[in-house]
Amino acid sequence: MPDRYSYPNSLVLINKLGITDYDRWKAVETAAIHQRMVELTEHPIPGQFDLAHLQTIHQHLTQDLYLWGGDIRDTDTHPGGTGIAHCRPPCIVPEVERVFGELAARDHLRGLDADAFADGLAWVWGETTAIHPFRDVNTRSQHIMFNQLARDAGWAIDWSQIPGDVFAHARTLAIVEDHTGIDALIRPTLHRLDAGRPPGEALTVEQVRGFQARGISRTPDVLDRELDAARKRRHTRPAAESLGAKMRRPEPPAPHGGLSL
């Protein structure tokens, strides 16, 4: 649904280039943000893995297109076609402080084995998905920050092994159910970084390109089956204490406002 961020009667977001054609806008945005993502894989932005850090990443990714890069949204959003609401604007900052405060209390997941790290990263990623701090470009901003978090903790994620549409489905389910789908997809692809390997090499340009190229999204039934199979494979590994077990958020409200990814 159009809102103050979009052109009248359009889903196209108001942009610095004045592009109003939807297909051209999406093509230009995809290319521009992809290039900025590559920059941040090669030269990560230092930060504390908190809201300010995420805002700086978001501003960097969107600087070529939007004036509101890094700004907390003031309109309601929801994952397209799901009827699920993201966090309401007045609650965004308190919710982010809750989630990232818990992350900091766990020393940003440093010093954990693979099971505990995957569970912790899945929890914080699912919670941040539900909060959805910005009007758009949330997924790509989170991808950059959480891969940087993984590298800082000594891990790399092989995104070539994670189907993009299944991961997107797992993140949507984390809003209304739990983070176990994200955990099931991440855990088998974790690799411990070599001590002598530069951290920036953990996420390659090809992996950034692969993360953006989801291809044709399959039906929810197919995605559910793939995610269930991933969960079953994950359950053959030892269980780790869940980071979010005592940190449940309230049920999301009914959706209002525009589609946001």
Side-chain angles (χ1 to χ4, degrees):
M1 179 183 297
D3 56 22
R4 77 167 187 85
Y5 295 89
S6 58
Y7 290 105
N9 303 312
S10 174
L11 295 177
V12 177
L13 297 178
I14 297 170
N15 57 82
K16 295 179 180 180
L17 304 178
I19 299 171
T20 57
D21 177 76
Y22 182 87
D23 291 336
R24 181 167 176 245
W25 163 64
K26 290 304 294 184
V28 170
E29 188 207 60
T30 298
I33 293 178
H34 171 263
Q35 182 56 43
R36 295 299 184 181
M37 290 178 74
V38 170
E39 292 174 1
L40 294 190
T41 66
E42 298 172 343
H43 305 287
I45 294 174
Q48 300 300 314
F49 303 109
D50 54 10
L51 177 57
H53 193 183
L54 186 61
Q55 286 176 293
T56 303
I57 290 170
H58 185 269
Q59 194 282 327
H60 185 90
L61 295 184
T62 60
Q63 62 183 287
D64 302 304
L65 291 163
Y66 306 127
L67 295 174
W68 41 265
D71 294 345
I72 302 299
R73 61 179 166 85
D74 58 13
T75 189
D76 291 316
T77 58
H78 57 88
T82 64
I84 300 169
H86 292 125
C87 183
R88 298 296 304 277
C91 302
I92 290 173
V93 172
E95 280 293 279
V96 170
E97 291 176 347
R98 171 184 69 85
V99 172
F100 289 161
E102 179 68 11
L103 179 65
R106 290 285 296 272
D107 194 26
H108 300 104
L109 310 180
R110 300 183 185 98
L112 302 178
D113 64 19
D115 288 312
F117 176 80
D119 178 77
L121 181 61
W123 178 80
V124 72
W125 206 324
E127 294 290 297
T128 309
T129 297
I131 296 168
H132 201 83
F134 313 115
R135 174 57 178 83
D136 206 347
V137 197
N138 287 270
T139 296
R140 288 164 283 186
S141 299
Q142 291 168 32
H143 180 77
I144 290 296
M145 189 167 89
F146 292 140
N147 277 280
Q148 185 178 342
L149 175 74
R151 297 194 299 272
D152 184 72
W155 298 98
I157 302 167
D158 183 359
W159 289 100
S160 69
Q161 302 302 310
I162 301 178
D165 54 356
V166 181
F167 190 73
H169 188 60
R171 290 177 62 238
T172 299
L173 291 180
I175 300 175
V176 292
E177 295 181 5
D178 56 42
H179 64 277
T180 57
I182 301 175
D183 169 70
L185 294 171
I186 287 176
R187 173 59 186 89
T189 71
L190 278 180
H191 301 279
R192 193 176 294 278
L193 290 176
D194 297 333
R197 184 182 185 188
E201 294 181 4
L203 181 64
T204 65
V205 173
E206 289 75 17
Q207 288 178 336
V208 170
R209 186 177 297 112
F211 179 78
Q212 294 210 111
R214 290 181 182 173
I216 299 174
S217 184
R218 290 161 288 181
T219 65
D221 287 346
V222 173
L223 296 174
D224 281 338
R225 288 197 296 272
E226 289 219 10
L227 202 53
D228 286 343
R231 286 193 181 102
K232 290 177 181 177
R233 291 191 297 270
R234 176 66 174 89
H235 289 162
T236 64
R237 302 177 181 272
E241 180 183 356
S242 174
L243 177 64
K246 298 180 180 179
M247 299 292 295
R248 304 301 299 174
R249 61 175 179 273
E251 290 295 319
H256 302 277
L259 164 67
S260 184
L261 299 176

